[in-house]
DNA sequence: CCGCGTCAAGTTCAT
DNA sequence: ATGAACTTGACGCGG
């Protein structure tokens, strides 16, 4: 059968939603094993990197078997990846292994956590944030993946973010994507992203907690934000989740709400998007969502 | 061998 | 000023 070998399975909805998940597949070994700082010797770090790469490989194989092409790699893949205690040239020592895994990977991304604050008032924290982002870039480079494999980051103070953005390497800047959150509306993030020339990940749930662009539909917002995504950036990415009942406003529900997801699909299901449900049950939500996509969407309107 | 206190890191909010 | 939450699993000490 001629044609691209990668796409023989699963009728890829090229004009529609692809789904992925973040960091962990609960049924498989962790790809983020670590060690206490005090015990972080070069040899122990090497063991963990090797084990984490094996675990990631297994997850990505599982994903491929299940038609999942989008995945967020854990920041802990390399323990202490941006910390001075880690002196090993992991990108070099494990270069072949990275390349092998990267060649089979679909669309990868990373998402530095709460401690990475590029817009901090504290210079040493900015320095650590720069180091962390450079680590993430080096990680994606090690897989030999191009700039469509993104690093997703929250913003904080837009002024300081803009100033400190200039400290990042060109490679890192080319992968950076900004995300709106429950405190920072799109109306803050989008102008900044346009000034910096980087794309925006639309977090649909958090947009509802910090609304802006009043009057625009979700579809119109996705299309507006879509203008920040250029060809080199690959498919536009969005995040989807719903409120966890009884938890703090903004907390992600444990599993995907297929009814609310169905409403999203009604609006943007025909657009070429990579969508990541942010949920605890990870690949299970993705499989449920995929199953719901395969069926005709029930459009019985009970709202009247 | 297992249970459970603790773990690199920042920020914000409550007390 | 101090501590918990965020979010989360996994490390590894101590019994």
């Amino acid at each position: 059968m001629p044609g691209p070998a990668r796409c023989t399975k699963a009728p890829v909805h090229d004009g529609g939603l692809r789904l992925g998940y973040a960091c962990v597949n609960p049924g498989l070994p962790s790809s983020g094993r670590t060690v206490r700082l005090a015990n972080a010797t070069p040899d122990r770090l090497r063991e963990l990197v090797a084990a984490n790469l094996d675990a990631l490989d297994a997850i990505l194989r599982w994903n491929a078997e299940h038609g999942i092409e989008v995945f967020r790699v854990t920041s802990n893949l390399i323990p202490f990846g941006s910390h001075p205690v880690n002196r090993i040239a992991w990108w070099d020592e494990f270069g072949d292994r990275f390349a092998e895994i990267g060649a089979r990977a679909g669309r990868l991304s990373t998402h530095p956590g709460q401690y990475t604050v590029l817009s901090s008032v504290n210079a040493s924290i900015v320095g650590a944030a720069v180091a962390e982002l450079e680590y993430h870039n080096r990680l994606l480079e090690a897989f030999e993946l191009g700039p469509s494999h993104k690093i997703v980051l929250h913003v904080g103070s837009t002024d300081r973010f803009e100033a400190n953005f200039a400290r990042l390497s060109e490679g890192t800047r080319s992968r950076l994507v900004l995300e709106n959150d429950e405190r920072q509306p799109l109306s803050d993030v989008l102008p900044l992203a346009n000034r910096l020339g980087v794309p925006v990940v639309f977090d649909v749930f958090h947009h509802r907690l910090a609304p802006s662009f009043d009057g625009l539909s979700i579809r119109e917002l996705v299309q507006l934000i879509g203008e920040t995504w250029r060809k080199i950036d690959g498919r536009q990415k969005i995040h989807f989740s719903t409120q966890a009942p009884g938890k703090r406003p903004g907390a992600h529900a444990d599993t995907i709400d297929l009814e609310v997801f169905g409403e999203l699909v009604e609006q943007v299901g025909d657009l070429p998007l990579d969508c990541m449900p942010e949920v605890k049950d990870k690949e299970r939500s993705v499989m449920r969502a995929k199953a719901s996509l395969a069926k005709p969407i029930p459009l019985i309107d009970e709202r009247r």
Side-chain angles (χ1 to χ4, degrees):
Chain A
M1 187 175 182
R6 283 187 50 194
C7 299
T8 49
K9 267 195 174 175
V12 186
H13 347 235
D14 249 315
L17 243 42
R18 296 195 309 186
L19 290 151
Y21 63 101
C23 304
V24 171
N25 182 318
L28 297 174
S30 167
S31 60
R33 294 190 54 206
T34 185
V35 63
R36 294 289 185 261
L37 179 57
N39 304 327
T41 61
D43 281 343
R44 184 71 187 119
L45 291 170
R46 280 187 189 99
E47 285 175 18
L48 288 164
V49 171
N52 287 344
L53 285 171
D54 287 348
L56 177 66
D57 195 8
I59 293 169
L60 293 174
R61 286 174 190 273
W62 190 98
N63 289 354
E65 283 164 17
H66 292 81
I68 298 173
E69 299 167 83
V70 181
F71 186 69
R72 180 191 301 164
V73 178
T74 174
S75 304
N76 294 127
L77 192 78
I78 309 299
F80 300 98
S82 67
H83 190 287
V85 78
N86 188 336
R87 318 268 303 177
I88 67 176
W90 46 268
W91 58 92
D92 193 29
E93 289 188 29
F94 297 90
D96 292 346
R97 189 75 177 112
F98 271 101
E100 181 186 10
I101 294 170
R104 265 197 312 273
R107 180 106 182 272
L108 298 186
S109 62
T110 68
H111 192 358
Q114 61 198 125
Y115 301 113
T116 304
V117 188
L118 191 61
S119 60
S120 175
V121 289
N122 181 328
S124 68
I125 290 161
V126 174
V130 170
E132 180 72 8
L133 292 166
E134 295 300 337
Y135 151 61
H136 281 248
N137 179 49
R138 181 168 254 168
L139 188 61
L140 292 166
E141 276 183 351
F143 287 114
E144 299 181 354
L145 296 170
S148 67
H149 302 261
K150 294 300 189 186
I151 301 168
V152 179
L153 195 62
H154 296 279
V155 174
S157 149
T158 52
D159 288 346
R160 288 195 299 270
F161 192 100
E162 186 164 5
N164 295 333
F165 179 81
R167 294 180 49 179
L168 300 171
S169 71
E170 193 180 331
T172 301
R173 293 199 303 258
S174 76
R175 294 191 194 272
L176 217 59
V177 181
L178 309 186
E179 181 178 12
N180 65 295
D181 57 50
E182 68 261 55
R183 329 260 294 292
Q184 198 153 38
L186 278 170
S187 53
D188 267 8
V189 175
L190 196 53
L192 173 67
N194 281 324
R195 286 202 297 281
L196 298 178
V198 302
V200 169
V201 168
F202 181 27
D203 187 314
V204 180
F205 171 43
H206 286 152
H207 168 71
R208 292 181 173 130
L209 279 90
S212 62
F213 296 109
D214 195 27
L216 292 192
S217 68
I218 294 297
R219 182 180 183 85
E220 287 166 333
L221 281 167
V222 166
Q223 289 176 323
L224 175 67
I225 294 163
E227 292 171 19
T228 63
W229 291 80
R230 306 187 196 197
K231 182 151 247 166
I232 196 174
D233 297 312
R235 279 186 173 228
Q236 180 178 0
K237 296 172 71 71
I238 65 173
H239 290 172
F240 172 79
S241 57
T242 54
Q243 177 63 45
K247 292 201 196 162
R248 157 195 76 90
H252 301 297
D254 290 349
T255 191
I256 194 166
D257 182 329
L258 290 180
E259 194 176 319
V260 182
F261 179 67
E263 292 166 9
L264 178 74
V265 173
E266 271 181 57
Q267 294 236 0
V268 299
D270 60 315
L271 302 178
L273 299 172
D274 281 355
C275 176
M276 196 165 286
E278 296 190 295
V279 289
K280 195 182 290 184
D281 69 355
K282 307 294 179 182
E283 91 292 348
R284 180 168 168 270
S285 277
V286 172
M287 297 309 289
R288 290 177 61 219
K290 283 169 77 82
S292 82
L293 281 179
K295 291 174 201 152
I297 305 152
L299 277 176
I300 304 118
D301 192 355
E302 298 161 300
R303 282 164 296 187
R304 219 164 343 162

